[in-house]
Amino acid sequence: MRTAPDLRRLLTVAAWLTAAVVAISAATSGLPAAPGGRVATVVLTVVGLALWCLALFPRVTDVRVLTVAMLGTGMAGAVLDLVHPSGPGFVLAYMALSGIGLGLPRRLAWPAAVVVAAATAGAEAATSTHPLSAALTLLAGAGALFLATLFAGASRDAHAQSQALLAQEAAIRAAREEAAVLAERSRLARELHDVLAHTLSGLAVQLEGARLLAERTGADPRLAEQVSNAQRLARDGMVSAQRAVATLRGEELPGPEQLPALIAQTRLTGCP
């Protein structure tokens, strides 16, 4: 299945090829005998192709500019068909109708298509020996082309909208998963704080009492020192628990600037 960018590139290539065909047809179909007709044919062909090429540029996205370019291309084709019936005027009109169906919103596409189709049908009727038949034939072909391109444009827009909805759903799903992860981390942080931090706080208080009791009862000084080291370890464990809680909550992680303090604490505990 072709994606929307692939279809857009394919349509752009087809549009440029159509412009080349019109230019070649205008060059090979001959010019009217009258000097004024020659000048008008060249000017209308150049103007129609220039407006068509303007509408093809990707940077031209303003609906007003596109509408003017498409209407100008179609009207140039209609007048060219009137001035030079054997020239590529009707092709310019068909090109304009396809661009109107594909590139303009429906509120502008319908009136623009009616104007171009009516002008081209009038030119065909004015230059044909069977005016009614020529006008009806052109209107049938123009109507079929316009409706086909209109439905193609609607299908393209629906595809783009569905892609946008899929991307939005993926973003919502990712946000929900992230929220679930954050909720689980918050739960773990709360449990860690309630259990480990409170336990270490109570242990530090008990060790402080044991140290004071050892000093008052004249116990071995090494016992008091070991109790002090154990109390320091409990305090350090409480700080580590607080850091773990902060990390689970998504706060900033401890950086290398805290390494000297950690080394000093290790030396105080007497660890090798």
Side-chain angles (χ1 to χ4, degrees):
M1 179 180 294
R2 295 184 181 270
T3 61
D6 293 335
L7 290 175
R8 191 177 296 112
R9 283 192 292 268
L10 183 61
L11 290 173
T12 302
V13 171
W16 284 110
L17 289 177
T18 306
V21 169
V22 171
I24 294 172
S25 176
T28 58
S29 62
L31 295 174
R38 295 197 197 100
V39 174
T41 298
V42 173
V43 170
L44 289 170
T45 303
V46 171
V47 170
L49 290 177
L51 290 173
W52 176 253
C53 293
L54 174 65
L56 292 181
F57 282 110
R59 295 183 179 179
V60 179
T61 57
D62 192 335
V63 175
R64 294 171 296 181
V65 176
L66 291 174
T67 302
V68 171
M70 293 301 174
L71 277 174
T73 301
M75 297 307 295
V79 178
L80 180 60
D81 195 26
L82 187 64
V83 173
H84 185 32
S86 60
F90 72 97
V91 180
L92 280 175
Y94 280 175
M95 290 163 58
L97 288 170
S98 65
I100 289 171
L102 285 172
L104 298 184
R106 292 185 180 181
R107 59 184 177 82
L108 296 176
W110 281 103
V114 169
V115 170
V116 172
T120 309
E124 282 288 320
T127 57
S128 176
T129 56
H130 303 284
L132 182 59
S133 175
L136 291 178
T137 301
L138 188 136
L139 287 176
L145 176 64
F146 172 69
L147 290 177
T149 54
L150 189 67
F151 286 133
S155 176
R156 177 200 59 200
D157 295 340
H159 178 75
Q161 186 177 6
S162 65
Q163 292 295 324
L165 290 176
L166 288 176
Q168 184 178 4
E169 290 179 359
I172 293 174
R173 185 164 54 252
R176 288 176 178 174
E177 292 176 356
E178 184 178 358
V181 170
L182 291 177
E184 181 64 16
R185 290 172 63 178
S186 297
R187 185 187 66 81
L188 292 175
R190 185 171 57 253
E191 292 182 358
L192 180 61
H193 181 271
D194 292 343
V195 177
L196 187 57
H198 290 173
T199 301
L200 290 175
S201 298
L203 178 60
V205 172
Q206 293 295 327
L207 289 172
E208 177 65 17
R211 185 184 66 80
L212 293 176
L213 180 61
E215 290 179 353
R216 289 177 183 177
T217 57
D220 189 340
R222 292 177 298 178
L223 176 60
E225 183 181 357
Q226 292 298 323
V227 172
S228 297
N229 290 337
Q231 185 182 15
R232 190 178 300 109
L233 287 174
R235 287 197 299 267
D236 293 343
M238 189 163 50
V239 172
S240 298
Q242 292 173 351
R243 289 174 182 166
V245 170
T247 301
L248 287 173
R249 289 175 178 172
E251 299 177 8
E252 187 177 359
L253 294 174
E257 67 277 0
Q258 296 184 354
L259 285 176
L262 294 174
I263 294 173
Q265 290 176 2
T266 302
R267 288 174 178 173
L268 289 175
T269 57
C271 295

